[in-house]
Amino acid sequence: MMEAELRSAEVGGLYVTYREAGVGTPLVLLHGFLCDSRCWMPQLSGVSDRFRVVAWDAPGAGASSDPPDAFTTTDYARCLAGFLDTITVGRAHVVGLSWGGILAQEFYRMYPDRLRSLILADTYAGWDRQEARAHVRSRIEQVVANWSRS
């Protein structure tokens, strides 16, 4: 096991901080919305003997620069691609946790050839379709009804 080094890279005018440990096939870890690379410390040390493990602080998280106000999920995916280019990661196994899973899906949509595999944990694909919104409303009504009975 190797200790995760804290590093930074400039990507499109943003300062992106990340932790990296190990050598070998790249494994990129994308944190959730209210997290940063520190949430991946067990994985950074636990699998660094088999992978080059990279966990970034997405723009606006941890020690990374804040993104512009109108920064979209697509902008985050472009920033991730630029970040990976900067640290010389071509194809990687990508793990997305929660909001990081949403980002991982957008990254895959835009750059499918850059992924060796995609692991999604505690995330969703979005609720843009009318049927999905109706399903969410139904689930909320169900939860409220159950809560009201208790």
Side-chain angles (χ1 to χ4, degrees):
M1 286 189 278
M2 301 177 71
E3 187 174 327
E5 296 180 37
L6 185 61
R7 301 177 178 180
S8 62
E10 191 276 326
V11 182
L14 295 173
Y15 207 52
V16 177
T17 302
Y18 64 102
R19 297 173 194 279
E20 181 173 7
V23 294
T25 303
L27 172 64
V28 176
L29 307 173
L30 306 176
H31 60 77
F33 183 67
L34 297 176
C35 300
D36 60 34
S37 61
R38 292 175 294 178
C39 76
W40 295 110
M41 294 305 281
Q43 290 76 20
L44 280 155
S45 65
V47 297
S48 62
D49 59 335
R50 295 183 300 264
F51 296 96
R52 176 185 175 193
V53 187
V54 177
W56 80 335
D57 290 345
S64 291
S65 300
D66 288 338
D69 289 340
F71 214 64
T72 66
T73 304
T74 299
D75 294 325
Y76 277 100
R78 285 188 188 112
C79 184
L80 178 58
F83 166 71
L84 295 176
D85 289 344
T86 300
I87 65 168
T88 63
V89 171
R91 291 182 68 228
H93 300 288
V94 175
V95 178
L97 172 66
S98 188
W99 173 83
I102 295 169
L103 171 57
Q105 290 171 78
E106 180 68 0
F107 184 75
Y108 174 72
R109 184 187 70 78
M110 295 174 67
Y111 309 100
D113 294 340
R114 302 225 32 197
L115 279 81
R116 293 176 179 269
S117 66
L118 176 61
I119 300 169
L120 303 173
D122 194 24
T123 192
Y124 65 99
W127 299 103
D128 289 339
R129 294 190 334 242
Q130 185 62 32
E131 307 86 44
R133 286 192 295 270
H135 176 74
V136 169
R137 275 193 302 278
S138 171
R139 293 282 292 156
I140 290 171
E141 290 168 3
Q142 198 175 31
V143 168
V144 169
N146 290 337
W147 177 72
S148 298
R149 282 186 235 142
S150 53

